[in-house]
Amino acid sequence: MRTSRNITLMLLFGWALFMTQSVVAAGGTVAEQDQVRLHVVFNNLPYKAGLQTEWGFACLIDGLDKVVLFDTGGNGDVLLSNMQRLGLDAEAVEAVVLSHIHGDHTGGLDTFLARNPDVTVYLPESFPAAFGREVIRLGAAVETVSAGPRQLLDSIHSTGEMNHGIKEQALIVDTPRGLVVITGCAHPNVANMAEQAQAYLGKNIYLLMGGFHLGGRSDAEIRAVIKRLKALGVKKVAPSHCTGDNAIRLFRDAWQDDFIEGGLGAVIEVPR
Ligand SMILES: [Zn+2]
Ligand SMILES: [Zn+2]
């Protein structure tokens, strides 16, 4: 009996190792300090077990000069709990960038700032003034981002607030492999945002990730977006959140081995 239990434990341990390595393998296997890591810390789309899925999106970026949180999900308790379970320290975050005003991207901010107010929060200019005042009241600094692309931090840029539909900014991480573009909901159209990022920095997009906002769209509309992204030369994609199941299936078909799982708990590593 004891032997069979030991074998069971060994199998479980082996499986755990395999799961860890398969996540690492998604982006490469160079030394840890030479990578930009994108941690999906809030998402309605599940990926890693033991975390709490809820509608919304947040992504933590480390491996650069500063740790950056892009969006905060809809619920700060869920956000902080997921970060803790993923071994990520909320107090290490130095900058928070919000993509757009919707609650599934901004709802976790107040709880996050109660834990760590020592950050600069980058808000699109269209946010109500009261929102910025509340951030300052909670102890953080505010920078507003207007239309037009700009640098936010070392290796971190914004598309600027884009004005088609709901006003929104995408985050751009400039890596030696190419650009990583992260969209919250991509209300201004994910292809428009990718084109803006690429035209601004004049570099190809290595990875496009986040919510692509294609739920309920026809196959023809989704294929038109895929065609534009392919024409841009987008190397890898990791769609999640509001992308929609059908669009995710079509992106998976179109990118094959360059499709990366982007659900909750995914860690995407970009070698520098
Ligand atoms: Zn939205
Ligand atoms: Zn959203």
Side-chain angles (χ1 to χ4, degrees):
M1 280 308 287
R2 177 166 290 257
T3 306
S4 75
R5 192 196 294 154
N6 283 346
I7 288 169
T8 306
L9 284 172
M10 280 167 64
L11 285 172
L12 280 171
F13 186 61
W15 172 248
L17 273 176
F18 170 73
M19 288 296 284
T20 307
Q21 285 173 1
S22 67
V23 172
V24 171
T29 51
V30 302
E32 193 175 308
Q33 62 270 26
D34 293 324
Q35 294 167 342
V36 178
R37 285 175 301 273
L38 309 146
H39 306 262
V40 180
V41 293
F42 200 106
N43 214 311
N44 40 288
L45 197 76
Y47 175 62
K48 193 175 178 181
L51 302 168
Q52 195 175 342
T53 52
E54 197 172 300
W55 184 260
F57 181 77
C59 178
L60 184 140
I61 303 134
D62 65 12
L64 297 169
D65 287 352
K66 292 192 174 181
V67 179
V68 177
L69 181 64
F70 179 66
D71 284 342
T72 61
N75 179 321
D77 292 325
V78 172
L79 174 73
L80 292 175
S81 151
N82 284 339
M83 284 176 62
Q84 193 195 342
R85 288 181 204 189
L86 290 165
L88 298 167
D89 179 10
E91 273 143 48
V93 173
E94 291 174 85
V96 178
V97 181
L98 296 182
S99 62
H100 68 299
I101 192 74
H102 287 161
D104 56 326
H105 300 257
T106 60
L109 183 67
D110 53 354
T111 304
F112 178 86
L113 292 180
R115 173 73 60 86
N116 175 13
D118 196 15
V119 296
T120 299
V121 183
Y122 294 83
L123 303 176
E125 195 177 34
S126 60
F127 273 41
F131 193 106
R133 282 198 299 273
E134 177 65 6
V135 170
I136 289 165
R137 194 187 68 78
L138 292 168
V142 168
E143 271 213 42
T144 54
V145 180
S146 51
R150 59 165 277 199
Q151 183 165 24
L152 304 181
L153 296 160
D154 264 5
S155 305
I156 299 264
H157 304 259
S158 166
T159 56
E161 186 176 61
M162 295 179 66
N163 196 12
H164 317 270
I166 306 291
K167 292 183 178 180
E168 181 169 344
Q169 62 175 333
L171 196 77
I172 308 165
V173 188
D174 189 0
T175 85
R177 294 286 169 125
L179 306 178
V180 174
V181 178
I182 313 174
T183 57
C185 254
H187 291 289
N189 186 310
V190 69
N192 290 345
M193 299 184 99
E195 283 168 6
Q196 174 119 330
Q198 187 156 323
Y200 158 53
L201 288 168
K203 294 183 182 177
N204 279 355
I205 295 173
Y206 175 76
L207 167 67
L208 179 63
M209 69 179 290
F212 293 0
H213 205 63
L214 295 167
R217 299 293 180 84
S218 70
D219 282 17
E221 287 172 301
I222 296 164
R223 288 207 168 91
V225 169
I226 287 174
K227 195 174 171 189
R228 284 174 67 189
L229 295 175
K230 283 287 186 184
L232 272 186
V234 173
K235 175 100 172 77
K236 294 171 187 283
V237 292
S240 66
H241 179 40
C242 57
T243 302
D245 292 344
N246 187 46
I248 285 178
R249 186 178 59 78
L250 294 173
F251 274 85
R252 193 188 297 276
D253 287 350
W255 267 267
Q256 301 278 323
D257 288 348
D258 285 322
F259 179 97
I260 298 177
E261 300 294 340
L264 180 59
V267 185
I268 303 172
E269 299 177 335
V270 182
R272 299 184 72 180

